[in-house]
């Protein structure tokens, strides 16, 4: 649900920047109304076309998988990268090379969706993007 000042974060592993973009933006799956829906929203938002405003959605590919939160979250900026590094001070349990973020949105769904290439990790407060 919409909530100002927070960002919901997913981490994943993708073969390339293009594979991440395809997951985040593809329009080949259709919802019950026949509208084309991104795989990301199919996996985590029950097929809603856009459960949040598209302009608050961001995704970044960091290349080589890493267990270091500061490396994986670096594309989100210093504030969020530092916050994740503080929370996951011993690193992630597995390496990731992509981050997906929905700003001003408190995600309340399933953390892990079987078969999805990303998993929800947490919602954090932020000052600005």
């Amino acid at each position: 649900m919409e909530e100002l000042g927070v960002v919901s974060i997913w981490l994943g592993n993708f073969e390339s920047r293009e594979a991440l973009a395809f997951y985040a933006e593809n329009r080949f799956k259709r919802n019950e109304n026949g509208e084309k829906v991104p795989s990301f929203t199919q996996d985590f938002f029950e097929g809603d076309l856009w459960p949040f405003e598209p302009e608050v959605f961001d995704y970044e590919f960091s290349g080589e998988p890493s267990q270091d939160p500061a490396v994986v979250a670096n594309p989100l900026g210093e504030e969020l990268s530092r916050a994740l590094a503080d929370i996951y001070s011993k690193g992630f349990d597995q390496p990731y090379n992509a981050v997906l973020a929905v700003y001003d949105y408190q995600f309340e769904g399933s953390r892990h969706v079987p078969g999805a290439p990303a998993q929800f990790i947490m919602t954090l407060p932020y000052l600005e993007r």
Side-chain angles (χ1 to χ4, degrees):
M1 79 178 145
E2 289 184 33
E3 185 174 326
L4 293 177
V6 299
V7 58
S8 294
I9 300 172
W10 288 258
L11 299 177
N13 283 299
F14 293 85
E15 292 180 19
S16 64
R17 184 176 316 281
E18 293 76 22
L20 171 60
F22 184 80
Y23 178 71
E25 297 180 8
N26 96 44
R27 305 284 193 271
F28 296 109
K29 294 184 179 182
R30 295 183 184 270
N31 65 12
E32 65 277 355
N33 297 325
E35 299 164 312
K36 294 179 180 177
V37 179
S39 297
F40 174 68
T41 59
Q42 282 278 342
D43 286 345
F44 291 97
F45 296 91
E46 299 176 358
D48 284 355
L49 182 57
W50 283 111
F52 46 82
E53 295 298 321
E55 61 269 5
V56 301
F57 179 49
D58 188 20
Y59 58 90
E60 298 290 339
F61 181 75
S62 58
E64 280 299 311
S66 176
Q67 288 180 270
D68 183 347
V71 171
V72 178
N74 186 51
L76 295 179
E78 188 177 323
E79 177 191 359
L80 292 175
S81 179
R82 186 175 39 247
L84 279 177
D86 288 346
I87 292 166
Y88 290 94
S89 60
K90 295 182 181 180
F92 296 127
D93 292 342
Q94 66 183 55
Y96 297 102
N97 67 2
V99 60
L100 299 98
V102 180
Y103 291 86
D104 298 328
Y105 193 90
Q106 172 72 48
F107 180 69
E108 296 175 344
S110 177
R111 283 182 141 333
H112 179 72
V113 174
Q119 70 178 27
F120 175 72
I121 59 159
M122 66 180 14
T123 299
L124 291 170
Y126 77 95
L127 296 176
E128 61 185 69
R129 354 182 215 165

